[in-house]
């Protein structure tokens, strides 16, 4: 079995969808733009530096979402897809995904962005299998059924991506030895998974990953 894994932000998309969603919610009046953008920039800097507390970030990033409720949130996301995401989806990125699908690969998007933001984006790429940060829903008796701000299980972030892919394989009675794996990513945050797969591909790589990929003889793909 051939398994092809794609990071999403700055790999298939030329933007960070989580960051862009936060900016979008400010533009539609859900948050104070100055205050929100300052904190959003701080979290993004921590992500780039590899020091992000993913649980703290998710509580922050979903605060406005939780207040708006599911109906307003879904309507906003439809607009987000139309005005922010769809215009930046590149033909060459879609073609790369299709190439692997047509070759018979099992294709997954594996992202550290939450499932509310990313599931419609994965669908836009024609990818059904998504491993994302899974947001907890209030499913207690009498609960709202809506997002709580917490994470279910292991977040698909840094080494957690390996854990989540391992769980995905196990759910299909498979192990890493049973599959030939390819992973496309731009980020040093994904180094552990790049090192774990059969074929690592540094895609639109940030400078440290580009240097490391060159040193190790990994394929480098400048998709954008």
């Amino acid at each position: 079995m051939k398994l092809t894994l794609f990071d999403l932000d700055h790999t298939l998309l030329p933007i960070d969808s989580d960051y862009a969603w936060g900016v979008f919610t400010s533009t539609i009046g859900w948050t104070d733009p100055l205050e929100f953008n300052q904190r959003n920039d701080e979290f993004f800097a921590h992500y780039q530096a590899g020091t992000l507390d993913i649980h703290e970030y998710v509580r922050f990033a979903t605060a406005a979402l939780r207040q708006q409720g599911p109906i307003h949130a879904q309507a906003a996301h439809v607009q987000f897809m139309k005005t922010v995401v769809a215009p930046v989806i590149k033909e060459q990125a879609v073609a790369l995904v299709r190439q692997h699908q047509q070759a018979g690969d099992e294709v997954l998007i594996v992202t550290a962005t939450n499932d509310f933001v990313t599931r419609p984006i994965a669908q836009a790429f024609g990818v059904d299998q998504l491993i994302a940060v899974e947001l907890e829903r209030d499913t207690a008796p009498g609960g709202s059924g809506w997002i709580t701000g917490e994470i279910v299980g292991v977040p698909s972030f840094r080494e957690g991506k390996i854990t989540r892919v391992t769980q995905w394989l196990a759910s299909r009675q498979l192990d890493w030895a049973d599959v030939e794996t390819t992973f496309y990513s731009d980020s040093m945050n994904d180094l552990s998974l790049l090192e774990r797969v059969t074929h690592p591909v540094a895609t639109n790589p940030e400078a440290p990953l580009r240097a490391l990929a060159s040193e190790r003889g990994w394929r480098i793909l400048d998709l954008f």
Side-chain angles (χ1 to χ4, degrees):
M1 176 182 174
K2 290 188 176 181
L3 180 65
T4 297
L5 312 171
F6 288 97
D7 178 47
L8 180 61
D9 301 321
H10 298 295
T11 299
L12 285 179
L13 280 180
I15 61 171
D16 185 290
S17 59
D18 213 358
Y19 183 88
W21 167 255
V23 173
F24 173 78
T25 60
S26 286
T27 66
I28 61 174
W30 284 12
T31 57
D32 175 83
L34 291 177
E35 181 181 347
F36 182 88
N37 290 341
Q38 180 180 350
R39 290 209 66 202
N40 206 24
D41 287 344
E42 289 171 359
F43 279 115
F44 189 56
H46 280 294
Y47 170 76
Q48 291 181 310
T51 58
L52 180 68
D53 181 331
I54 189 71
H55 295 274
E56 182 184 1
Y57 173 69
V58 164
R59 292 185 197 106
F60 161 76
T62 61
L65 196 62
R66 301 197 308 270
Q67 292 173 357
Q68 292 295 321
I71 294 175
H72 288 158
Q74 293 293 347
H77 200 292
V78 169
Q79 189 65 18
F80 173 67
M81 290 294 296
K82 287 180 180 178
T83 62
V84 178
V85 177
V88 300
I89 292 179
K90 305 296 185 183
E91 289 183 8
Q92 59 266 40
V94 175
L96 179 62
V97 172
R98 295 286 183 277
Q99 174 187 327
H100 282 283
Q101 290 172 327
Q102 290 169 1
D105 297 9
E106 188 75 39
V107 174
L108 280 75
I109 289 176
V110 186
T111 176
T113 300
N114 71 70
D115 55 349
F116 175 83
V117 170
T118 57
R119 191 163 299 282
I121 302 174
Q123 292 168 350
F125 277 97
V127 177
D128 296 327
Q129 298 289 338
L130 172 69
I131 294 177
V133 170
E134 186 177 347
L135 298 177
E136 181 186 71
R137 267 69 173 179
D138 181 5
T139 57
S144 66
W146 188 227
I147 293 164
T148 68
E150 301 304 316
I151 295 171
V152 175
V154 176
S156 46
F157 176 60
R158 296 178 67 88
E159 291 78 7
K161 287 193 175 184
I162 294 180
T163 302
R164 291 288 302 281
V165 174
T166 301
Q167 291 171 344
W168 185 92
L169 288 167
S171 72
R172 289 154 178 79
Q173 290 76 52
L174 295 169
D175 193 55
W176 287 92
D178 301 316
V179 292
E180 181 180 345
T181 47
T182 300
F183 180 42
Y184 293 84
S185 177
D186 70 293
S187 176
M188 287 293 286
N189 277 301
D190 287 336
L191 180 59
S192 58
L193 184 53
L194 285 163
E195 291 176 330
R196 185 69 181 81
V197 299
T198 317
H199 306 292
V201 185
T203 310
N204 316 314
E206 59 187 9
L209 180 58
R210 184 180 294 273
L212 183 66
S214 296
E215 178 184 319
R216 295 188 180 184
W218 292 353
R219 180 184 170 199
I220 296 174
L221 174 64
D222 289 306
L223 192 59
F224 306 135

